[in-house]
Amino acid sequence: MGDMAPARPLDAFSPATRSWFSSAFSAPTAAQEGAWSALAEETDVLVVAPTGSGKTLAAFLASLDRLASQPPPADPLRRCRVLYVSPLKALAVDVERNLRSPLTGIRQEAARLGQPEPDVRVAIRSGDTPAVERRSIARRPPDILITTPESLFLMLTSAARESLRGVETVILDEVHAVAGTKRGAHLALSLERLDELLDRPARRIGLSATVRPVAEVARFLSPRRSARVVQPPADKRFDLRVVVPVEDMGELGGSPVADAAGAADGGKPSIWPSVEERITDLVQAHRSTIVFVNSRRLAERLCNRLNEIAHERATGESLPEVHGPAELMGGSGAGSGAPAVLARAHHGSVSKEQRAQVEEQLKSGLLPAVVATSSLELGIDMGSVDLVV
């Protein structure tokens, strides 16, 4: 009798979960295989891997499979069994959106296999959550609650903590962003307060980008228990270029820089027209681009200028520039009104709804570029972004 094939980590999942994953992906990543092997041991786990390695899905798929395979508790207040905590509010929104695909897929596969369709509910509680939704979460807890460290603290300090008494698993994302900080110390205290509420301490699954020292981060995640570390090897590859949009910085052409009174006569030439043209070239050569700038006014003015250039290239007609060169982008952000066919701005003065719309358009490929400040938090799931400037 020949040797039996070794069990694969995916084999531990239910048929519906295995079927959905196999139809959606060719194979698990190294981070996912390591995470699922560790999670099968019922220990705390820290997964350390770079962006794009499937860490978040690794943590959630194991939880989704358990939720889909088991009936909810008889006590509706103990229904919330998975708590996901992210220091990035925008990342929490992305996770909720990205859970829809596996939830729908597992439900469809269960129906196809003649099994009961799982009813797994997901909710978000953050600083943007309206009061009526916060009260609803407290009264009718979801199976999976997505929240931030600050909102978790507020829940534990109010009557809403009763909705957390059924938590079995805590997924802590972006551990590297909070470990060693005051915010992280505050979160660590909240996690201990949560454990005090529960019949037994919740299992902790930490997700982190590559970080050192790993042992110290694992101790932060699980100070009273030893967390198993999953860290598949990952080689760093650097592609560094210094790019100047003109051949000679000493012989700048383009529009002269206006003085404080707005007069351009006698001013020195500006490099910004060349920068704007070069960024437009880059955006038009890629499917999706994020351009980061350091102020809201700069975001608005550069965004307007990129759209003006795109309009001029498409129509052959120049639009009148009613503002000075971008070197003076501390001034008004008014542009000449070119349609936003190439880029849209993303900053703190843009409404929450508009920011979400801009992010969704970029992810779906409808919008070629976003000109953003730090309001577009690094680490959020932006899908397939070709270029960051």
Side-chain angles (χ1 to χ4, degrees):
M1 188 174 183
D3 295 337
M4 294 181 64
R8 299 179 304 164
L10 200 59
D11 293 341
F13 294 148
S14 67
T17 303
R18 287 201 309 269
S19 180
W20 170 79
F21 187 89
S22 299
S23 64
F25 304 97
S26 58
T29 66
Q32 289 170 341
E33 287 197 341
W36 292 333
S37 295
L39 291 173
E41 299 176 9
E42 298 293 331
T43 61
D44 292 350
V45 177
L46 173 65
V47 184
V48 180
T51 300
S53 56
K55 299 188 299 292
T56 306
L57 180 60
F60 267 116
L61 197 63
S63 298
L64 286 176
D65 184 68
R66 180 173 296 188
L67 292 174
S69 304
Q70 300 175 355
D75 184 354
L77 278 180
R78 289 179 174 256
R79 178 153 187 163
C80 181
R81 286 156 288 166
V82 178
L83 179 68
Y84 169 88
V85 184
S86 168
L88 299 180
K89 186 165 56 180
L91 182 58
V93 175
D94 270 324
V95 165
E96 189 273 337
R97 183 187 298 118
N98 292 338
L99 276 177
R100 296 172 193 165
S101 178
L103 280 172
T104 302
I106 294 172
R107 192 178 298 119
Q108 291 174 344
E109 288 300 321
R112 186 180 66 82
L113 295 170
Q115 300 173 347
E117 294 185 36
D119 177 25
V120 179
R121 300 203 313 263
V122 183
I124 299 178
R125 158 105 188 215
S126 71
D128 290 332
T129 305
V132 63
E133 290 185 27
R134 293 200 297 268
R135 289 192 295 269
S136 175
I137 290 171
R139 288 194 306 267
R140 295 182 64 250
D143 298 277
I144 301 174
L145 179 61
I146 297 170
T147 190
T148 61
E150 291 72 26
S151 290
L152 174 60
F153 167 79
L154 293 175
M155 290 187 73
L156 291 168
T157 313
S158 70
R161 62 179 171 269
E162 296 301 316
S163 64
L164 299 174
R165 288 192 180 273
V167 170
E168 299 171 351
T169 302
V170 176
I171 300 173
L172 181 57
D173 208 348
E174 302 286 314
V175 179
H176 59 280
V178 292
T181 68
K182 289 183 179 179
R183 194 179 182 202
H186 200 273
L187 173 59
L189 181 59
S190 291
L191 293 175
E192 294 300 318
R193 291 177 64 197
L194 173 66
D195 278 349
E196 289 297 315
L197 276 179
L198 308 177
D199 297 335
R200 53 177 294 185
R203 167 197 251 182
R204 299 180 186 179
I205 304 173
L207 308 176
S208 174
T210 49
V211 66
R212 293 193 185 101
V214 174
E216 191 66 20
V217 176
R219 192 173 71 86
F220 166 81
L221 172 70
S222 183
R224 296 198 281 182
R225 304 183 295 273
S226 59
R228 178 171 167 183
V229 176
V230 175
Q231 188 179 20
D235 296 328
K236 287 186 178 181
R237 291 181 296 173
F238 295 95
D239 182 4
L240 177 63
R241 309 173 199 177
V242 178
V243 179
V244 180
V246 294
E247 291 186 7
D248 188 345
M249 293 281 286
E251 298 181 2
L252 293 176
S255 304
V257 176
D259 60 22
D265 294 338
K268 63 180 180 180
S270 169
I271 195 175
W272 273 97
S274 300
V275 171
E276 294 161 353
E277 293 282 350
R278 177 61 178 145
I279 293 176
T280 305
D281 292 339
L282 292 170
V283 170
Q284 292 184 331
H286 294 83
R287 176 181 176 272
S288 55
T289 303
I290 301 176
V291 183
F292 281 107
V293 297
N294 59 9
S295 73
R296 299 174 183 183
R297 286 175 175 172
L298 178 53
E300 289 288 345
R301 297 197 66 167
L302 182 56
C303 181
N304 286 334
R305 189 66 194 122
L306 296 181
N307 288 320
E308 290 169 3
I309 295 172
H311 179 81
E312 292 166 0
R313 291 181 179 182
T315 64
E317 299 177 359
S318 297
L319 287 166
E321 280 195 55
V322 295
H323 54 73
E327 189 171 331
L328 293 183
M329 283 191 173
S332 168
S336 57
V341 295
L342 193 70
R344 291 185 65 182
H346 188 299
H347 54 70
S349 294
V350 177
S351 70
K352 171 192 169 186
E353 293 75 19
Q354 287 292 317
R355 292 199 305 269
Q357 185 184 74
V358 169
E359 293 169 12
E360 192 58 41
Q361 287 182 345
L362 182 70
K363 292 177 189 179
S364 63
L366 297 175
L367 182 66
V370 169
V371 183
T373 62
S374 58
S375 62
L376 191 64
E377 292 173 322
L378 294 175
I380 72 173
D381 177 16
M382 264 298 160
S384 178
V385 172
D386 297 334
L387 182 69
V388 176
V389 179

